[in-house]
Amino acid sequence: MPLTPTGRLVADAAAAGRGVAAFNVITVEHAEAITAGAERAGLPVILQISQNAVKFHGGRLGPIAAATAAVAELSTVDCAMHLDHVEDLALLRQAPAHRFGSVMYDGSTLPYAENVAATRDAAAYCHEHGLWLESELGEVGGKDGAHAPGVRTDPAEAREFVAATGVDALAVAVGSSHAMTSRSASLDHALIERIAAAVPVPLVLHGSSGVPDDELAAAVRAGMVKINIGTALNIAFTGAVRTVLAGDEKLVDPRRYLAPARDAMTDAVAHFLTVLAG
């Protein structure tokens, strides 16, 4: 099935009152697990490759993007591709050639005025090339520097930011945190409702791996649409690998531990998609 534009999947989810999950791809096994989980759930999905994942692959976007697109196009459900947390504008400009439907430009480390200017330029480029642009305001926790835990997005500032930049979606800080390995985050649902009422574009929740199921479902009801999930897949992957290797110290064939790792990620994907569908 041909790749579906990200904007279409997000708009469809918003119209249906459900969330659409965007899962991070690091290896081919991630892409295979994401599409398999989406097929099991019978729901569309977004496969996203972050700037950090590109760094892991030697700074080369092409190979992992081509592999992800190939896996996605063999799926029986609608799949979109998204380039995530891009700070390098040179990387952003590679997105059209590698068949991405969207980009998340991350200018959150910049002072507000510089973030607005840079994001406006990124939006102009993306729109000229048929790409949907997501950006971030309010610095989601869990990262060093600008990503300080406890930060919250101001609804009025969010409205001004969207109007000034022309972005198609906005990631906001409402209590989640990147790279959490425990599902203990508590979201500010009243704040989500206020931001959703203030801005005319879909809201995005980053750091969703650390958010319990009931909190995720409530966040969607409050106005969240695109839900980013990465660490949860890596927890499932690594746990399965550890279990297999612990049971056979002589094992050397990676297929013997990568297959159960992929299966564990598939289970996680199907679970999250079901939760977000309501």
Side-chain angles (χ1 to χ4, degrees), residues 5 18 22 37 59 66 69 75 81 84 89 114-115 119 124 130 133-134 145 160 173-174 183 205 224 226 261 276:
R18 58 173 172 79
S75 178
M81 281 178 56
D84 199 41
L89 291 175
E114 293 180 28
N115 186 4
T119 303
L133 184 74
E134 170 189 337
E160 294 170 1
V174 293
R183 300 191 68 191
L205 183 66
M224 283 291 175
K226 179 175 177 278
L276 297 176

Side-chain angles (χ1 to χ4, degrees), residues 197-229:
V199 302
V201 299
L203 300 183
V204 183
L205 183 66
H206 288 202
S208 305
S209 292
V211 182
D213 288 349
D214 59 341
E215 287 278 305
L216 286 177
V220 171
R221 291 193 297 271
M224 283 291 175
V225 183
K226 179 175 177 278
I227 311 296
N228 287 15
I229 300 165

Side-chain angles (χ1 to χ4, degrees), residues 181 234-249 251 256-258 260-261 264:
T181 56
N234 297 335
I235 291 171
F237 182 102
T238 305
V241 170
R242 285 194 175 117
T243 297
V244 173
L245 292 180
D248 185 356
E249 64 180 16
L251 179 62
R256 296 277 299 280
Y257 53 82
L258 288 178

Side-chain angles (χ1 to χ4, degrees), residues 6 81-86 91-93 95-96 100-106 122 126 131-135:
T6 308
M81 281 178 56
H82 174 76
L83 189 58
D84 199 41
H85 274 291
V86 175
L91 177 60
L92 182 147
R93 295 187 185 101
F100 287 89
S102 58
V103 178
M104 185 270 179
Y105 174 69
D106 187 354
C126 286
L131 297 173
W132 182 91
L133 184 74
E134 170 189 337
S135 192

Side-chain angles (χ1 to χ4, degrees), residues 19-51:
V20 60
F23 294 98
N24 286 19
V25 173
I26 299 175
T27 69
V28 175
E29 287 77 20
H30 283 74
E32 292 171 336
I34 293 165
T35 55
E39 288 171 355
R40 183 188 300 173
L43 291 165
V45 73
I46 300 167
L47 296 90
Q48 58 187 27
I49 299 171
S50 71
Q51 180 170 299

Side-chain angles (χ1 to χ4, degrees), residues 113-147:
E114 293 180 28
N115 186 4
V116 168
T119 303
R120 184 191 303 121
D121 290 345
Y125 177 85
C126 286
H127 294 160
E128 287 171 6
H129 292 82
L131 297 173
W132 182 91
L133 184 74
E134 170 189 337
S135 192
E136 178 174 307
L137 182 65
E139 299 150 351
V140 176
K143 292 188 177 182
D144 294 332
H147 297 273

